[in-house]
Amino acid sequence: RLHQVFANLIDNALKYTPLDREPRIEISAADAGETWRVSVHDNGAGIPPEHRDKIFTMFQRLPKGRAMNPTGTGMGLAIISRIVEGNGGRCWISDSDEGGTTFCLTFPKPAPHDVDQLPRTSQPAGVA
């Protein structure tokens, strides 16, 4: 499911970058105490502040988005929201002076006893 989150964000960044600019996508992560905070910034068309409260709702499309990608369904960001929130995190759009859009996601860190229960992968001989 995490793969789907990033695939949708990267796909949207590519679809909604005006044709006159080369797409740029930056992904970063930071330790935020009990969570990991991940930011995905693009240089696309951007999402105006007045639309940000609805953008994670199913079937919501902005007029500019419809013009740039007429075949879109308005489901991508709603799916992202459901995956992230279903795993105890949250997502929102951050203000950016650089243009484009910055999506922020948080993911709770596993408890230490949960990490100990994760399956260990075997390493090939000679690899430490």
Side-chain angles (χ1 to χ4, degrees):
R1 305 290 289 183
L2 191 57
H3 176 267
Q4 186 175 9
V5 167
F6 288 101
N8 281 359
L9 288 172
I10 292 167
D11 188 51
N12 279 356
L14 296 172
K15 285 180 187 173
Y16 298 108
T17 297
L19 295 175
D20 64 345
R21 66 180 84 141
E22 185 173 326
R24 188 185 78 242
I25 303 164
E26 299 171 5
I27 301 172
S28 61
D31 186 333
E34 294 182 8
T35 64
W36 290 105
R37 180 177 171 170
V38 178
S39 298
V40 179
H41 177 75
D42 64 52
N43 66 334
I47 299 172
E50 63 270 17
H51 294 288
R52 293 180 187 171
D53 61 337
K54 297 178 187 174
I55 203 69
F56 293 105
T57 304
M58 197 66 82
F59 308 118
Q60 292 295 313
R61 306 231 26 234
L62 300 179
K64 190 186 320 183
R66 277 189 227 109
M68 294 178 81
N69 179 22
T71 62
T73 63
M75 293 173 53
L77 294 177
I79 290 170
I80 289 168
S81 176
R82 288 183 179 175
I83 292 170
V84 171
E85 291 174 4
N87 284 286
R90 65 185 202 93
C91 52
W92 69 96
I93 298 170
S94 177
D95 290 331
S96 175
D97 294 334
E98 302 172 28
T101 303
T102 301
F103 290 92
C104 299
L105 316 168
T106 60
F107 299 96
K109 292 180 182 176
H113 61 82
D114 292 339
V115 173
D116 293 338
Q117 302 302 317
L118 294 175
R120 302 284 182 210
T121 58
S122 59
Q123 301 247 348
V127 177

